[in-house]
Amino acid sequence: MNAALKSKRLATQFIFPCLDILGILAWGLLLLKYSFTGELRLLIHPNYFGLVSFTGVVLVVLSLVRAWQWSRRFARRQREAEIQDTVSHITLLPTGVGSILLLVTAILGFAIAPTVFSSNVALQRGVSNTLPATQLQTQSFQGNIKPEERSLMDWIRILNAYPEPDAYAGQKAKITGFVVHPENLPDNYILLTRFVLTCCAVDVYPVALPVRLEGSRAQYPQDTWLEVQGIMETDTLNANTQNFKGTESFKRQLVLVAESVKTIPTPADPYSY
């Protein structure tokens, strides 16, 4: 019995408090690591960068304060432990499990680096050339930008505001994005795609413009980042980019006829906002 009580007191006085402190410290350091390495841009909208960095600092300070408090109380915990041994506690998880989960997930965060979403995610979610109704400030684009200076997101915003493709036929364009090979389009078409981040990585959605190539799209594997320069035209294409066999929905769309295609590295900031 004495051995069991000593083991329980050791866990109560030393192991569980250390797990709590380490869990809080690990998450604070993880958030700061994401901030300093730039990986945070793969996870959340830039509007929240400051909040995440501040939270990381607060968690590190909190863990240090708790460690200092625990070290001061450690010598006096014997009487408290004896009293607590007679009291029953009801918790959702066994004592210490929550701290272990917190620590393990933080360690996994250090071990597994965030990655950019791929073409498979884009096809699963359905690529569109319009913004969803929940997108904030869909009207905020600069219509006076020269066509050849518009980004992919600028073109999407303009189409969202005025979706008549013939209005843009003949205009020059130079846009960047990653390659998606939709099954519904011919072999000489790709979708030049970017993910739009409104809050965090969970709610990203893909937007794209069709690009007509001179040859087969096989020369540009999926997920390759390209800079494409050419002329805008109107074409009638199958608008269904999701993998629903036998489902066709043809509509007139704005298409970039490629004159120059250049492979580029994955940008440090791959998402649009």
Side-chain angles (χ1 to χ4, degrees):
M1 178 65 71
N2 289 336
L5 284 175
K6 288 182 180 180
S7 177
K8 184 176 181 180
R9 288 169 185 168
L10 176 64
T12 303
Q13 297 176 8
F14 185 79
I15 297 177
F16 295 152
C18 284
L19 288 174
D20 289 340
I21 293 168
L22 288 175
I24 296 171
L25 176 62
W27 267 101
L29 293 176
L30 179 62
L31 295 181
L32 291 177
K33 179 240 183 186
Y34 284 153
S35 299
F36 291 137
T37 61
E39 293 174 318
L40 201 57
R41 64 170 60 96
L42 302 180
L43 300 173
I44 63 170
H45 194 283
N47 288 348
Y48 308 108
F49 284 2
L51 178 61
V52 171
S53 300
F54 176 75
T55 302
V57 173
V58 169
L59 290 177
V60 170
V61 172
L62 180 60
S63 68
L64 296 177
V65 170
R66 293 196 62 173
W68 176 73
Q69 292 175 336
W70 170 77
S71 65
R72 292 192 61 188
R73 295 176 184 173
F74 185 73
R76 304 197 304 266
R77 290 297 296 270
Q78 187 64 33
R79 179 188 296 180
E80 296 177 9
E82 291 174 355
I83 296 174
Q84 291 170 358
D85 288 340
T86 63
V87 180
S88 297
H89 295 276
I90 299 175
T91 57
L92 181 62
L93 295 173
T95 305
V97 172
S99 299
I100 292 173
L101 291 176
L102 194 67
L103 183 58
V104 169
T105 53
I107 292 173
L108 290 175
F110 279 105
I112 304 173
T115 57
V116 182
F117 284 107
S118 67
S119 56
N120 289 333
V121 177
L123 290 172
Q124 289 170 5
R125 300 196 177 188
V127 189
S128 174
N129 64 352
T130 59
L131 299 171
T134 55
Q135 168 69 13
L136 297 176
Q137 298 180 343
T138 56
Q139 76 282 3
S140 60
F141 66 90
Q142 299 181 21
N144 57 350
I145 297 179
K146 294 180 180 180
E148 60 270 24
E149 296 178 356
R150 293 172 187 157
S151 67
L152 176 63
M153 196 60 188
D154 289 330
W155 281 104
I156 296 299
R157 287 195 175 103
I158 289 175
L159 285 171
N160 195 76
Y162 186 65
E164 174 50 57
D166 287 336
Y168 315 104
Q171 293 186 2
K172 297 180 180 180
K174 184 172 72 172
I175 56 177
T176 61
F178 66 91
V179 176
V180 173
H181 293 172
E183 296 182 0
N184 62 302
L185 296 183
D187 183 61
N188 63 327
Y189 275 85
I190 62 171
L191 290 179
L192 204 61
T193 311
R194 293 196 79 140
F195 282 101
V196 180
L197 196 68
T198 56
C199 180
C200 63
V202 175
D203 64 13
V204 296
Y205 58 89
V207 293
L209 285 176
V211 175
R212 188 165 73 221
L213 305 169
E214 292 185 358
S216 171
R217 63 190 179 191
Q219 58 187 316
Y220 304 111
Q222 291 200 116
D223 299 315
T224 303
W225 279 81
L226 301 178
E227 179 185 88
V228 182
Q229 188 170 354
I231 302 295
M232 290 295 188
E233 290 188 4
T234 301
D235 202 350
T236 301
L237 300 172
N238 185 355
N240 176 36
T241 59
Q242 292 179 297
N243 296 321
F244 300 140
K245 300 294 185 181
T247 302
E248 294 184 344
S249 176
F250 290 93
K251 72 173 186 179
R252 290 166 55 255
Q253 298 184 57
L254 192 64
V255 173
L256 176 58
V257 180
E259 296 178 342
S260 171
V261 180
K262 181 172 65 174
T263 302
I264 61 174
T266 301
D269 192 0
Y271 298 144
S272 297
Y273 308 101

